[in-house]
Amino acid sequence: MEEARGSYSMTTEALQLFALASRRNEWLTARQAAISTNIANANSPGYRAVDVQPFSDILEKMDVAVATTKPGHMSTGSFATQASAARASSGADVTVSGNSVNIEEEMVKAGAVNRDYALNTNIVKAFHKMLLTSMKA
């Protein structure tokens, strides 16, 4: 019975990890879309660069329940999930035309999104492989 309970707990934790990874990919997609829009409007007079709120802010608001397996464990509570919203980017200088897009800065952000997506994907692949290996045993 204890072995079955341990397997259920591992499966539940795996699903939470996959849900978190999916949420991170959604955030990365939203950020890449904001970056693409900024680059597409680099020459539009009056356009203000946008970005999404940091993923750490979204993570703090996610409904992540910590498992309490013994009566002495403390619960952290839960938080309401909120979608990432586009907001005005604060670090860009405004040009004479009123445009605040800095192409170099946007390219650096795009590279960071690419690296984060690759890291997220590799972590999910490794965890998936570990999960399959543990289920075979």
Side-chain angles (χ1 to χ4, degrees), residues 12-13 15-21 23 55-67 75-83:
T12 305
E13 290 170 7
L15 294 176
Q16 289 176 356
L17 178 79
F18 291 132
L20 179 62
R23 186 73 175 175
F55 187 70
S56 59
D57 291 353
I58 295 170
L59 188 60
E60 288 175 5
K61 296 172 186 172
M62 283 184 67
D63 185 22
V64 179
V66 178
S75 175
T76 60
S78 61
F79 302 96
T81 304
Q82 292 184 355

Side-chain angles (χ1 to χ4, degrees), residues 42-105:
N43 292 326
S44 299
Y47 180 80
R48 298 286 186 178
V50 296
D51 201 352
V52 294
Q53 66 187 45
F55 187 70
S56 59
D57 291 353
I58 295 170
L59 188 60
E60 288 175 5
K61 296 172 186 172
M62 283 184 67
D63 185 22
V64 179
V66 178
T68 54
T69 56
K70 295 186 180 186
H73 290 173
M74 294 176 16
S75 175
T76 60
S78 61
F79 302 96
T81 304
Q82 292 184 355
S84 60
R87 59 178 172 78
S89 182
S90 61
D93 294 328
V94 178
T95 62
V96 175
S97 69
N99 190 307
S100 67
V101 176
N102 181 330
I103 296 292
E104 292 83 11
E105 188 177 303

Side-chain angles (χ1 to χ4, degrees), residues 26-43:
E26 289 172 8
W27 179 84
L28 288 169
T29 301
R31 185 150 198 236
Q32 187 62 42
I35 293 166
S36 299
T37 302
N38 289 344
I39 292 172
N41 289 293
N43 292 326

Side-chain angles (χ1 to χ4, degrees), residues 7 28 53-54 123 136:
S7 175
L28 288 169
Q53 66 187 45
I123 289 170
K136 288 179 184 179

